[in-house]
Amino acid sequence: MSITLYSQDCKSKLIVVTDFLPVQIFLDDSLISDSNYSEIELPYGDYNLSVVKNNSLWNAKTFKDSIHLQDCEIKKVFYSDKNKIYLDSSPQDAYVFKGDSLIGHTPLFINKSVNNLMLRKPGYTDLALPNNLLAERVKFNLHFTGVTKQESFFNSTAFKILAGTVITLGAVTAYYKLKADDRFDEYKITHKQELLDQTKRYDLISGITFTALQINFGFILYKFLTE
């Protein structure tokens, strides 16, 4: 089965082969094939590939890969139900490292030949996986250290309030500074004392809000540098 997704003078080609049926093949979450042999023409770039075996089952086996295609490259990937093992942890969504390379997050399928793996998750002790247990579908339990990663300041409600305050103070500062300039321009023409008094009052308000703006912005900058 051959599918053309894009039109381009020089296309790269991704060939996906599996040794099982039924199968659904997804590229960036879009279904592109239900054949165990597919050729897909694509522009160069990065893609997320998901190969799902028997999607009608609630626990359908899924193979996930990140694919990088270069100009005019032909890349062939093969998925077998026979050479993959299922790796899971409690809690899930732990980082799976081979050496210094991140290969995915639990749960996931990995090649049987892969060994010397490490599970890592913030708030939990790192766990080196015994190679002899990988093929036995053991769920590896991570030990909670009692220390959870604090929420980033930039995801907190306080940051959202401060950011909104900076915008508001900036608008108020600009508004009163413009009003002060307008009143002073009128004063230079009419020499009315009340216009000069208004100019000073608006300048004072503008100065206060600008000082508050600087304090807020300085605190945000400090948190950015310390995090």
Side-chain angles (χ1 to χ4, degrees):
M1 179 176 181
S2 180
I3 302 174
T4 301
L5 295 187
Y6 300 91
S7 176
Q8 191 174 347
D9 292 337
C10 181
K11 300 167 186 172
S12 304
K13 181 180 290 186
L14 175 64
I15 301 174
V16 183
V17 183
T18 74
D19 64 359
F20 51 83
L21 281 172
V23 62
Q24 286 82 38
I25 300 173
F26 297 84
L27 195 68
D28 291 338
D29 297 325
S30 297
L31 178 65
I32 59 171
S33 176
D34 57 4
S35 168
N36 66 339
Y37 182 92
S38 300
E39 295 184 4
I40 309 110
E41 291 185 344
L42 299 162
Y44 76 93
D46 296 308
Y47 300 91
N48 293 315
L49 179 69
S50 298
V51 178
V52 184
K53 178 186 177 184
N54 198 356
N55 200 28
S56 61
L57 298 179
W58 70 270
N59 61 341
K61 182 180 290 188
T62 303
F63 304 89
K64 293 188 176 182
D65 268 326
S66 296
I67 303 295
H68 176 74
L69 293 176
Q70 299 180 0
D71 277 328
C72 306
E73 178 185 16
I74 297 177
K75 178 169 289 190
K76 185 175 182 179
V77 290
F78 176 74
Y79 297 94
S80 173
D81 194 27
K82 302 180 180 65
N83 63 1
K84 294 279 185 177
I85 56 177
Y86 185 71
L87 176 60
D88 198 3
S89 68
S90 178
Q92 294 182 334
D93 201 32
Y95 298 99
V96 183
F97 283 89
K98 178 174 174 58
D100 294 328
S101 300
L102 176 65
I103 64 174
H105 302 79
T106 58
L108 80 164
F109 287 90
I110 60 175
N111 290 323
K112 288 183 179 179
S113 59
V114 174
N115 52 32
N116 299 323
L117 298 179
M118 178 79 70
L119 294 183
R120 293 174 180 164
K121 187 176 179 68
Y124 294 82
T125 302
D126 292 352
L127 179 62
L129 303 185
N131 297 330
N132 61 320
L133 292 180
L134 284 177
E136 299 181 11
R137 299 179 66 91
V138 175
K139 178 179 282 191
F140 296 95
N141 294 313
L142 300 177
H143 177 67
F144 182 58
T145 62
V147 179
T148 56
K149 185 178 180 181
Q150 292 184 344
E151 179 187 33
S152 170
F153 171 73
F154 297 97
N155 292 327
S156 66
T157 302
F159 170 72
K160 296 174 183 176
I161 293 174
L162 284 173
T165 304
V166 166
I167 295 173
T168 302
L169 288 172
V172 171
T173 299
Y175 173 77
Y176 280 102
K177 182 59 179 173
L178 289 174
K179 287 183 72 69
D181 291 343
D182 289 342
R183 292 298 183 273
F184 188 68
D185 287 341
E186 292 181 34
Y187 168 75
K188 288 190 294 184
I189 297 173
T190 63
H191 299 288
K192 292 183 178 179
Q193 183 62 38
E194 63 184 62
L195 293 175
L196 183 59
D197 293 340
Q198 289 179 358
T199 299
K200 293 178 180 178
R201 184 165 61 251
Y202 291 148
D203 270 335
L204 177 61
I205 296 173
S206 177
I208 293 172
T209 56
F210 182 68
T211 300
L213 170 65
Q214 287 181 309
I215 293 172
N216 275 22
F217 185 76
F219 181 73
I220 292 174
L221 182 60
Y222 165 77
K223 296 296 289 186
F224 173 77
L225 294 175
T226 55
E227 283 201 9

